[in-house]
Amino acid sequence: MKRLVAGIVVFLGVIAAVVLLVPDFRFSLIGLTLAHRLQTGASEPIHVMSLVSSGTEIRPLTEEGLTVPTQSARPESYDLRFAMQETVESTGAEEVLGYRVTEVRSEQLGTTGGEGLLANSYRMRGLPTGLVADLTRRDGKPSRVLDEGRFSELLAAFWPELPRARVRPGATWTGRWQSAVASGLLKETPIQLQHRLRYTLVDIRREADLEVARIQVAGNIVPAAAGQVPPGTVVTGTGRVEGTTLVDLATGRTVLADDRTAWSVVVRLEGQNIEVVHFSDRKSRIWRPRLVPDGQAGFEAPLPLPDGGMPGRTGAPAQASPVPGAPPEP
């Protein structure tokens, strides 16, 4: 009898140890709450590597209403690496963070690429559950390589929408936000890129001695004019977001985020029989080097140029591609 009791105790002890020590088992049973725990004044560096391809195509009206560039479109592509200092300026009902670019490396033959970003500073206002409410450039020069809209998309991958309720691995939730694209054809009427996203909590794992939640995001980008457009003008387009984010359970801050964001906006001038396509394809990795060493994050690894999924390849939807050094899939 004593042996039986002892065996039961040992068995229960093993089960308890597994539940406590293996995050996936523990959180599958009890779930978890993801929330930001930011401290005003906290400041630390952020590193980014990104491939950015973008351009504009002017063409006759397509009868089928084509929403992506054609093969004749010629995007500019940049291999962009930069560092910036992130500072928490306020917390609570409204979270405000500042970003100052401290180092830039950019490669494209015959151009200065993204070097104009150096010393730029930005103000990001976000909600306590994440995502970008708005982003403005405080100092520095405009960048056609990484303008405020693409900068917002970059930070939206780093500050994903967090679930408002307790969740377990496999849970899904949604988030929405929007950025603006300027089009000279519409003058004072910006075009809003409405990002409609679905998140999935994949699992809980150990990365760089941290317990992190691995969250996948996938969603669509829907362009729409933010106001009245002239008669005979139609705004259409398409876009896609896919990525993975690692969120530190202790702080609610993202440790590392990969994303592929591609979109195209078509402004059709039916009376003039032309349409203008603005398009962008950006693949990025952003991380905290204090928590994820540069070597592990793949800062020195080359990123492949956007391939068949990029806008500018007719009929090919934007699809995410693996980024070198990304955490392995289970």
Side-chain angles (χ1 to χ4, degrees):
M1 185 65 178
K2 290 182 179 180
R3 288 184 178 181
L4 178 61
V5 172
I8 293 174
V9 170
V10 170
F11 176 76
L12 293 176
V14 170
I15 295 297
V18 169
V19 169
L20 291 174
L21 296 177
V22 180
D24 248 353
F25 280 111
R26 182 167 80 251
F27 292 114
S28 292
L29 290 175
I30 64 176
L32 74 157
T33 300
L34 290 171
H36 295 159
R37 298 172 182 85
L38 306 181
Q39 293 183 346
T40 302
S43 183
E44 65 177 297
I46 304 295
H47 283 182
V48 180
M49 63 179 184
S50 185
L51 276 176
V52 184
S53 293
S54 61
T56 298
E57 179 188 18
I58 302 176
R59 65 195 185 198
L61 288 179
T62 53
E63 294 183 2
E64 66 273 28
L66 189 64
T67 58
V68 296
T70 64
Q71 291 285 351
S72 61
R74 292 293 178 262
E76 291 185 334
S77 297
Y78 298 87
D79 181 344
L80 182 63
R81 318 290 173 105
F82 64 98
M84 53 188 177
Q85 193 71 18
E86 176 192 76
T87 302
V88 180
E89 299 181 359
S90 68
T91 61
E94 178 179 88
E95 295 179 344
V96 177
L97 293 99
Y99 291 92
R100 180 173 56 86
V101 180
T102 57
E103 178 185 356
V104 177
R105 284 185 289 154
S106 178
E107 295 181 7
Q108 190 204 39
L109 186 64
T111 75
T112 57
E115 293 172 9
L117 286 168
L118 188 60
N120 277 12
S121 65
Y122 303 85
R123 175 187 185 270
M124 186 199 87
R125 184 175 62 88
L127 301 175
T129 54
L131 284 178
V132 180
D134 63 58
L135 179 128
T136 56
R137 178 171 44 84
R138 286 170 162 166
D139 298 300
K141 302 176 181 179
S143 171
R144 63 189 180 89
V145 179
L146 197 70
D147 60 16
E148 278 83 312
R150 294 183 186 88
F151 206 98
S152 296
E153 290 172 346
L154 185 76
L155 292 178
F158 203 56
W159 293 97
E161 177 80 8
L162 298 180
R164 291 171 171 79
R166 199 172 184 87
V167 291
R168 295 178 175 84
T172 63
W173 62 96
T174 59
R176 289 193 177 195
W177 73 284
Q178 62 185 21
S179 59
V181 173
S183 175
L185 294 176
L186 297 181
K187 296 181 180 179
E188 302 301 322
T189 304
I191 299 170
Q192 299 290 350
L193 298 179
Q194 301 172 356
H195 297 66
R196 303 172 181 178
L197 309 174
R198 176 173 292 276
Y199 297 91
T200 302
L201 176 59
V202 178
D203 57 23
I204 309 299
R205 54 171 59 192
R206 300 291 300 184
E207 291 286 346
D209 297 325
L210 295 175
E211 200 165 49
V212 299
R214 184 162 62 113
I215 298 171
Q216 288 185 344
V217 61
N220 297 320
I221 300 175
V222 180
Q228 288 293 113
V229 298
T233 301
V234 178
V235 176
T236 63
T238 187
R240 184 69 180 166
V241 178
E242 293 184 0
T244 301
T245 299
L246 302 182
V247 176
D248 179 13
L249 298 189
T251 64
R253 300 179 308 169
T254 295
V255 178
L256 180 149
D258 294 330
D259 83 297
R260 177 77 175 271
T261 298
W263 50 261
S264 61
V265 174
V266 182
V267 181
R268 294 170 57 90
L269 303 179
E270 296 178 343
Q272 302 179 38
N273 195 38
I274 64 170
E275 57 190 23
V276 178
V277 187
H278 304 285
F279 58 95
S280 173
D281 188 355
R282 181 189 50 76
K283 178 190 292 185
S284 300
R285 165 163 286 190
I286 178 171
W287 71 95
R288 301 181 187 275
R290 182 174 65 85
L291 304 176
V292 179
D294 284 350
Q296 182 174 338
F299 188 70
E300 299 298 336
L303 282 172
L305 285 173
D307 46 29
M310 66 175 291
R313 297 295 179 264
T314 302
Q319 295 180 352
S321 298
V323 178
E329 296 294 328

